Amino acid sequence: MKKDNKKNNFPKGLNINIYWIYGAIFLFFIGIQFFSGKSVQKTNWQEFKNKMLLENKVEKIVIVNKEKAYIHIKDKNLGEPFFERVAKKPFGNSKNFGPHFYFEIGSVDNFTSELKEAQVNFQEEDKIFPYFETRKDVFGDILGWILPLVIFIGIWIFIMRRMSGGGAGAGGQIFSIGKSRATLVDKTNIKITFKDVAGLDEAKEEISEIVDFLKAPLKYTKLGGKIPRGAMLIGPPGTGKTLLAKAVAGEAKVPFFSLSGSDFVEMFVGVGASRVRDLFKQAKEKAPSIIFIDEIDAIGRARGKNSITGSNDERENTLNQLLTEMDGFGTNSGVIVMAATNRSDVLDKALIRPGRFDRQIYVDLPDLVGRKEIFKVHLKPLKLSKQVDVNFLARQTPGFSGADIANVCNESALIAARKGKKSINKQDFLDAVDRIIGGMEKKSKIISPEEKKTIAFHEAGHATVSWMLQYASPLVKVTIVPRGRSLGAAWYLPEERQLTTTQQLEDEMCAALGGRAAEELFFKKISTGALSDLEKVTKQAYAMISIYGMNKKVGNISYYDSSGQNAGFTKPYSEERAKIIDSEVTRIIESQYKRAIDVLKKNKQKVIKLANSLLDNEVIFKADLVNIFGERKWKSYDEEKLNEMDKEVKK
């Protein structure tokens, strides 16, 4: 109470800081030193001798510390014009009683002899004899050794505060390094609810139960049930895991402790475990509450992987403390731990077991309907033209996460603003998608006519093969304008499948090899432009054989390790089996390459027509392929679903 009274003694609106007080004291002493200085003018021996001594105007001479001679002028002479500058003090306009002048004497003996010689013709009563004094500048001496000390202490405090991550805390952060770095978001400050989360209906439904637990725990505990300890959000980056956690906090209206897994990591031993203890202590004090640890794989990796070093791993100590806090002998009633990661395969088994993280909620990439809902959320603040169709945008962005869709919407607004438009139209969104996928157009890049022709036939080969095969992704757009690191680019619309068959994989491989096949067919030579295609095809072929078991010679065998525990330098199969796998990969790729050439031979004139159209226009669309090849024979399930959605909108 006394502290509060002291605070109230200050006038309202006056912000008192201790450093201001220190500064005022320092300036006070400097002022004393400055204002205590007298109006003493510097002179020299000649001026002193001719203007003062020989004219008998000197009252007395005081030699201080055998270094300086201070001259006092007689009162009757101070009114003269020469002495007007020293007659009064600079502050207060009062009379200056002296000293009035000073100069360096050099040697005392020389000065006294010269003074005696200058007064040789003086009467005895008029002669001036110097006085000798020894003075000490106490304040200057004190300032001389205190000031460096103060500067040193100030630098030390600054370095310590920076090393310890800021100056918060009464005792300084250096004494609270083991404190939790979690950001406490008060329940009144959380504005995000489930309405702000779109495209994650299943995840929202599953996680909404946690909100019910926090709102009405008795509803479940009276039947003998226990409130879940934690929920793990698993999914690719940008799918909305962190957003979902914030929505839980916003819906439940409880304190929300948010931090990253890397916040526990420190160079000092035991700091991570100490921060875990402090975090749970704070959460228990504010229970019911939520602890959200983003990127938990930073501390939750499987133990025993670094045993080669033979050292005590600080990260493992932190994990052990987290395991104990979540399900140990202590009680954490009312505290629910939520975590997010996109590396669930590397997490320790003890961390994700029931009793710690009871729920594992998978937040996948949104499907067609999910992308439509996400677009609706992000399109609300934008000024759109009537041309913009949400169904079309959802169709054009397969494989996009929620973060990618937000980026598309923002980029489209920037493109429209750059062009000076008053609203965002359909083309701005397409340009945004193109820029995000392929990069910025490099129209200034110098490409020879021969290279340009090769690129055109390469892209025409891709487009033709994908158009003529049932399970290959249909074309949306092809360009030979360089984008990013590629000399040409093609946009396809892959069908969103949950299962993939052997025929579908083979068609995709054949379409990818269409570019290299076109180069060999029309130019009788191949280029390095097919690098990315070959990389993709090789990975697919190896996956078909060694992971999915889609090869008769190798059989129904998978060498895939979902746990990630056996990842190392050794292969899980023999050298003989490795040779068989390599030979089968080569056979599959070569067979699809030959198939691509056959497709191009059957449609040779149409490929030439398509390539020439690319050379003339630099960009071709789906409509151009329809004009050359006719309508595609097969329609995907996604297209049929979109048509149904469009019909519903029209109704």
Side-chain angles (χ1 to χ4, degrees), residues 371 375 379 389-390 392-401 404-413 415 419 424-441 476-477 479 483 489-494:
R371 290 197 302 274
F375 263 113
L379 291 176
D389 181 18
V390 183
F392 175 79
L393 296 177
R395 184 75 178 98
Q396 295 297 314
T397 51
F400 277 44
S401 66
D404 294 331
I405 292 171
N407 192 22
V408 168
C409 294
N410 184 61
E411 194 67 39
S412 64
I415 291 170
K419 295 177 181 178
I424 309 167
N425 58 25
K426 178 180 174 182
Q427 189 58 45
D428 296 325
F429 281 98
L430 292 175
D431 293 342
V433 172
D434 293 350
R435 185 167 182 178
I436 291 169
I437 295 175
M440 193 94 174
E441 285 188 350
V476 174
K477 177 183 176 182
T479 178
R483 280 182 176 271
W491 284 262
Y492 300 92
L493 215 56

Side-chain angles (χ1 to χ4, degrees), residues 80-226:
E80 297 176 8
F82 183 77
F83 301 110
E84 189 177 355
R85 53 182 171 156
V86 296
K88 294 182 180 180
K89 292 184 177 181
F91 302 98
N93 204 24
S94 59
K95 185 179 178 181
N96 186 8
F97 293 99
H100 303 99
F101 297 94
Y102 81 95
F103 62 90
E104 304 283 342
I105 63 172
S107 170
V108 175
D109 294 336
N110 290 339
F111 176 75
T112 52
S113 63
E114 288 178 356
L115 183 66
K116 187 177 180 181
E117 187 180 341
Q119 301 180 99
V120 70
N121 298 323
F122 280 29
Q123 297 291 329
E124 195 66 29
E125 63 270 12
D126 294 331
K127 288 184 179 180
I128 303 296
F129 297 96
Y131 296 91
F132 293 89
E133 289 185 6
T134 302
R135 298 177 185 174
K136 288 185 178 181
D137 187 5
V138 179
F139 182 80
D141 293 341
I142 292 173
L143 197 65
W145 67 267
I146 284 182
L147 195 60
L149 183 63
V150 170
I151 293 172
F152 175 77
I153 292 172
I155 294 171
W156 183 80
I157 292 172
F158 175 76
I159 293 172
M160 289 297 103
R161 286 163 70 94
R162 293 299 297 259
M163 286 179 64
S164 57
Q173 280 288 334
I174 193 69
F175 302 109
S176 59
I177 195 169
K179 299 291 183 182
S180 170
R181 292 186 176 182
T183 303
L184 174 59
V185 184
D186 195 70
K187 56 187 176 183
T188 56
N189 297 329
I190 304 172
K191 307 297 182 185
I192 299 172
T193 61
F194 284 146
K195 292 180 181 178
D196 302 305
V197 183
L200 304 173
D201 295 335
E202 290 79 10
K204 279 197 296 186
E205 185 179 346
E206 194 168 358
I207 210 167
S208 62
E209 295 181 8
I210 295 174
V211 177
D212 291 337
F213 294 146
L214 292 169
K215 282 184 176 179
L218 292 174
K219 179 181 174 182
Y220 301 92
T221 55
K222 70 181 181 180
L223 298 176
K226 294 180 181 179

Side-chain angles (χ1 to χ4, degrees), residues 11 20 168 217 233 274 300 375 419 428 456 519 569 573 580 609 627:
W20 287 103
L233 300 172
S274 176
F375 263 113
K419 295 177 181 178
D428 296 325
E519 290 180 20
F569 298 102
Y573 43 79
I580 296 172
K609 189 177 179 181
N627 292 332

Side-chain angles (χ1 to χ4, degrees), residues 233 241-243 245-246 256-264 291-299 338-342:
L233 300 172
K241 298 184 294 293
T242 307
L243 184 67
K246 289 180 180 177
F256 185 74
F257 293 86
S258 175
L259 75 166
S260 172
S262 59
D263 289 335
F264 295 105
I291 296 173
F292 177 62
I293 306 173
D294 203 3
E295 308 297 342
I296 197 173
D297 51 276
I299 58 167
M338 294 183 66
T341 181
N342 48 35

Side-chain angles (χ1 to χ4, degrees), residues 360-417:
Q360 293 187 28
I361 302 169
Y362 292 92
V363 186
D364 292 328
L365 290 169
D367 57 5
L368 186 65
V369 180
R371 290 197 302 274
K372 181 182 176 181
E373 296 301 318
I374 295 170
F375 263 113
K376 285 182 179 179
V377 171
H378 292 293
L379 291 176
K380 282 181 182 178
L382 303 181
K383 292 183 179 179
L384 306 173
S385 68
K386 295 180 180 179
Q387 303 176 348
V388 178
D389 181 18
V390 183
N391 291 341
F392 175 79
L393 296 177
R395 184 75 178 98
Q396 295 297 314
T397 51
F400 277 44
S401 66
D404 294 331
I405 292 171
N407 192 22
V408 168
C409 294
N410 184 61
E411 194 67 39
S412 64
L414 297 178
I415 291 170

